[in-house]
Amino acid sequence: MKAVIIGGVAGGATAAARIRRLDESAEIVIIERSGYISYANCGLPYYIGGVIGDFDELTLQTPENFRRRYRIDARVREEAEAIDPVRKRVRIRRLETGEVYEESYDKLLLSPGAKPVVPALEGTDSDRLFTLRTVEDTIAIRRFVEERAPRSAILIGGGFIGLEMAENLRGLGLDISVVQRSGHLFNVFDEDMAAGIHAEMRRRGVKLFLNADVTGFETTPEKIVVKLRDGSRIDSEMTVLAVGVRPDVELAEKAGLELGPRGGIRVNARMETSVKDIYAVGDVVEVADFATGKPALIALAGPANKQGRIAADNICGLDSEYRGTQGSSVIRLFSMTAASTGMTEARARKEGIDYGKVILSPANHASYYPGARTMTVKVLYARPSLKILGAQILGYEGVDKRLDVIATAMRCGLTVTALKDLELAYAPPYSSAKDPVNMVGFVAENVETGKLRQFFAEEVDGLPRDGSVVLLDVRTPGEYARGHAEGFVNIPLDELRERLGELEKPEAPGKMPEGKKTVYVMCQSGVRSYLACRILMQHGFDCRNFAGGYRYFETVRRERCPAAETRPCGADKN
């Protein structure tokens, strides 16, 4: 059996090695248009920033290593130009010489990845404008930084590459601006959760231009100018364009392979395309979204590796299936960590899904142990099934651990309330006896059984301030004095039972006569306000607890970028 693989890196290189492990007699050929057959794509920004000092650390396998260890013929700087599925041949061009030849195959695997999106705007041919996708891109950026010593850079796009580059270039001492077309960074987070990212970026001196639409670029001998739709201009000495990627389907399309509704190659669970004996994996394919079952494009290394292994199994006669992608991801943002899995609330609304959500702000480990830091956790779940739809976590140490536990529970079909039953490792330096993941389950159970009613950040501005409801802050007077939501009066939790008379009270315990006031309660993290609600509800009040606490609310309020802005917002907050 002869297998030809077009594209290396995560999917193609993984598939090649797996085929060899399964079939010692197979003839395996990899065709890679770049100069590197297998490299750590996710590590590229950290090489530019000097965090990874040795370039060789990024190249996981060389053609020589593949040949020596696996007896695989890995060819770099060669590009597949056409596929003939009838004759089972691939036309290939050697990029250094221009020579063209054909390679036959029994099984063909496509893993060409995705290309950076470069908008059709004036000035994108500037030698000060870069994209970051390949090792060659990385070398070009690092060489520019080392040789030209720029003092400033603009990142167009607030996704993974944009934010990682912002951190690494800022670490080199550059003045950094991030320009984002939408109202918040990092679209795998909802706007409320992204507020914490905005705050961290600003704290580190990064300027943010949100709701900012780029219309073109202008290059001078010393600068590159980014022109925005509102007429404003931002200049720097270099710009990195990181507005997204699109699947590289040109080869597949010319060969007659069927594409899906998202523009990627359509594959089944066995990673088979619409043409017999041709498989596809990685950023180029559409896969099933784990939460909805709908086609999705997920450009992540983890899924690509798994797909490569599954395709290899099926090429070798086994029966393996890819069971959908959750899009689990994590990113470091200076000292913070942001992680997510599954769908956002914005997407759940768009899909018309009936969902519930919990937001809480627990410590990453026992609060009495030195160094405890608060994390913000947001979990969505379907109603009435209570199956987990997605999670977002922002904080410091322990964020990745909690996200991975929730992602695993989601994959295994657990309900959100089942999280309370998980037995997780505990010691004061690492967790609390009731881990933050357990707390998600406790809160969700309280909500779904009626012990707790919530209100959320997006509702606060719309609450009546005319006395028809009670707005209550149960923190200490000192906490309240340092900042509080407009219209909320302060009665500390420990004084609440003795001061119930200050609130309008129902006529009989346990009953809420029509027309009586509802009490909306807030505290720093959501714990004391929950305790206050339990007191109030058992004294007959209708009580709503603020999800996430005042710390979270203040960040959301401060970092909100109004959708109605006609000029970029956010930069003036730096």
Side-chain angles (χ1 to χ4, degrees):
M1 187 267 289
K2 180 178 180 180
V4 173
I5 299 170
I6 298 175
V9 197
T14 295
R18 176 68 171 173
I19 291 171
R20 172 58 72 226
R21 292 194 296 272
L22 295 175
D23 187 346
E24 182 64 20
S25 65
E27 181 181 355
I28 307 169
V29 178
I30 305 177
I31 305 298
E32 169 58 46
R33 64 186 161 207
S34 78
Y36 302 88
I37 200 71
S38 179
Y39 57 89
N41 190 288
C42 299
L44 300 182
Y46 301 99
Y47 175 68
I48 293 169
V51 177
I52 298 173
D54 186 353
F55 176 78
D56 291 340
E57 294 293 329
L58 292 173
T59 52
L60 305 179
Q61 291 285 351
T62 65
E64 294 73 24
N65 290 342
F66 260 104
R67 185 178 298 278
R68 184 169 55 251
R69 176 163 295 180
Y70 297 106
R71 300 301 188 267
I72 290 173
D73 183 3
R75 307 171 190 172
V76 295
R77 298 184 180 89
E78 297 192 7
E79 184 169 18
E81 294 187 330
I83 300 167
D84 185 341
V86 176
R87 295 172 55 236
K88 287 193 169 184
R89 289 182 175 272
V90 182
R91 187 174 78 238
I92 301 165
R93 181 179 297 274
R94 293 190 172 102
L95 297 178
E96 293 180 345
T97 66
E99 178 188 354
V100 176
Y101 69 96
E102 286 192 337
E103 192 72 53
S104 64
Y105 68 85
D106 296 310
K107 304 288 184 180
L108 179 65
L109 175 64
L110 303 182
S111 182
K115 291 182 176 180
V117 173
V118 179
L121 299 175
E122 178 187 9
T124 55
D125 57 347
S126 171
D127 64 351
R128 293 179 178 271
L129 182 68
F130 302 89
T131 58
L132 179 58
R133 186 67 180 175
T134 66
V135 172
E136 287 83 356
D137 296 335
T138 308
I139 292 171
I141 296 173
R142 177 148 170 169
R143 182 181 297 122
F144 185 92
V145 170
E146 290 177 342
E147 295 178 357
R148 308 281 283 274
R151 292 168 295 177
S152 60
I154 296 173
L155 291 310
I156 311 294
F160 287 97
I161 293 296
L163 295 182
E164 288 171 347
M165 283 298 296
E167 177 191 356
N168 280 279
L169 292 177
R170 184 64 181 150
L172 294 176
L174 277 69
D175 182 33
I176 302 296
S177 298
V178 177
V179 178
Q180 172 73 356
R181 189 173 187 178
S182 69
H184 71 87
L185 303 176
F186 207 48
N187 65 5
V188 297
F189 266 31
D190 285 308
E191 183 179 17
D192 59 332
M193 293 294 290
I197 295 176
H198 297 178
E200 175 67 6
M201 300 295 277
R202 295 188 210 279
R203 190 173 74 85
R204 297 289 181 163
V206 177
K207 300 179 182 69
L208 305 181
F209 294 82
L210 307 174
N211 281 341
D213 198 2
V214 177
T215 58
F217 305 91
E218 183 180 302
T219 302
T220 71
E222 301 296 330
K223 301 282 186 180
I224 180 170
V225 178
V226 178
K227 298 187 285 188
L228 303 181
R229 189 166 300 282
D230 74 328
S232 59
R233 297 157 66 90
I234 317 167
D235 64 65
S236 70
E237 294 174 56
M238 65 179 292
T239 293
V240 178
L241 197 58
V243 296
V245 296
R246 62 168 57 97
D248 187 0
V249 297
E250 182 179 354
L251 185 65
E253 199 169 16
K254 288 193 299 185
L257 274 65
E258 186 177 346
L259 303 184
R262 303 294 304 278
I265 299 174
R266 188 189 295 273
V267 293
N268 59 20
R270 292 168 51 85
M271 309 313 297
E272 295 170 325
T273 71
S274 60
V275 176
K276 182 176 172 57
D277 293 326
I278 300 182
Y279 299 74
V281 299
D283 298 354
V284 75
V285 303
E286 293 185 7
V287 294
D289 180 281
F290 184 79
T292 66
K294 296 181 178 181
L297 290 169
I298 307 290
L300 293 171
N305 271 278
K306 295 177 181 67
Q307 293 159 17
R309 179 185 175 91
I310 287 166
D313 284 356
N314 293 311
I315 285 171
C316 293
L318 303 181
D319 187 16
S320 294
E321 290 190 351
Y322 188 70
R323 304 187 185 280
T325 294
Q326 295 165 236
S328 300
S329 63
V330 64
I331 185 173
R332 189 186 73 180
L333 301 164
F334 298 101
S335 63
M336 297 191 79
T337 300
S340 71
T341 189
M343 64 169 50
T344 61
E345 183 177 5
R347 183 157 161 249
R349 286 197 302 265
K350 185 177 180 180
E351 296 279 355
I353 295 172
D354 183 12
Y355 69 91
K357 64 178 177 178
V358 295
I359 303 170
L360 54 155
S361 300
N364 64 317
H365 60 63
S367 58
Y368 60 81
Y369 188 86
R373 304 287 296 273
T374 299
M375 62 176 65
T376 304
V377 183
K378 180 176 184 177
V379 176
L380 276 72
Y381 56 92
R383 283 174 166 154
S385 71
L386 305 187
K387 292 293 180 67
I388 301 167
L389 295 173
Q392 302 159 49
I393 309 179
L394 181 67
Y396 301 90
E397 292 181 2
V399 165
D400 53 337
K401 168 186 172 179
R402 275 59 185 227
L403 190 282
D404 284 344
V405 171
I406 295 173
T408 302
M410 180 179 171
R411 174 67 60 163
C412 294
L414 297 184
T415 64
V416 66
T417 53
L419 296 178
K420 66 182 174 57
D421 300 319
L422 296 182
E423 187 173 336
L424 304 174
Y426 160 60
Y430 300 103
S431 183
S432 299
K434 291 185 285 190
D435 189 86
V437 174
N438 297 135
M439 293 303 300
V440 171
F442 292 139
V443 174
E445 182 184 60
N446 284 338
V447 169
E448 293 303 316
T449 57
K451 298 180 184 70
L452 173 65
R453 301 179 71 180
Q454 303 178 100
F455 70 107
F456 300 96
E458 62 270 21
E459 300 176 57
V460 173
D461 287 347
L463 294 176
R465 264 71 175 183
D466 59 1
S468 59
V469 299
V470 176
L471 307 180
L472 179 62
D473 187 317
V474 295
R475 295 176 297 158
T476 66
E479 290 173 307
Y480 180 82
R482 286 190 290 271
H484 55 270
E486 180 188 356
F488 280 69
V489 298
N490 183 220
I491 300 178
L493 172 64
D494 293 342
E495 301 175 16
L496 182 59
R497 290 181 178 87
E498 289 72 34
R499 297 176 63 178
L500 288 176
E502 298 177 30
L503 307 176
E504 183 173 333
K505 196 176 176 185
E507 295 173 357
K511 296 181 67 176
M512 191 67 195
E514 185 175 347
K516 289 293 182 179
K517 295 178 181 178
T518 299
V519 183
Y520 291 84
V521 189
M522 186 180 288
C523 74
Q524 193 74 356
S525 69
V527 175
R528 283 173 288 175
S529 52
Y530 165 65
L531 296 176
C533 271
R534 292 306 304 152
I535 293 169
L536 292 169
M537 290 173 72
Q538 292 179 77
H539 282 81
F541 290 90
D542 178 29
C543 188
R544 312 292 172 91
N545 180 38
F546 181 73
Y550 179 78
R551 181 188 294 107
Y552 152 83
F553 168 75
E554 174 58 23
T555 302
V556 173
R557 182 179 65 175
R558 185 179 63 247
E559 299 294 338
R560 182 181 293 127
C561 183
E565 287 274 352
T566 56
R567 53 178 290 276
C569 69
D572 55 336
K573 296 181 180 179
N574 286 275

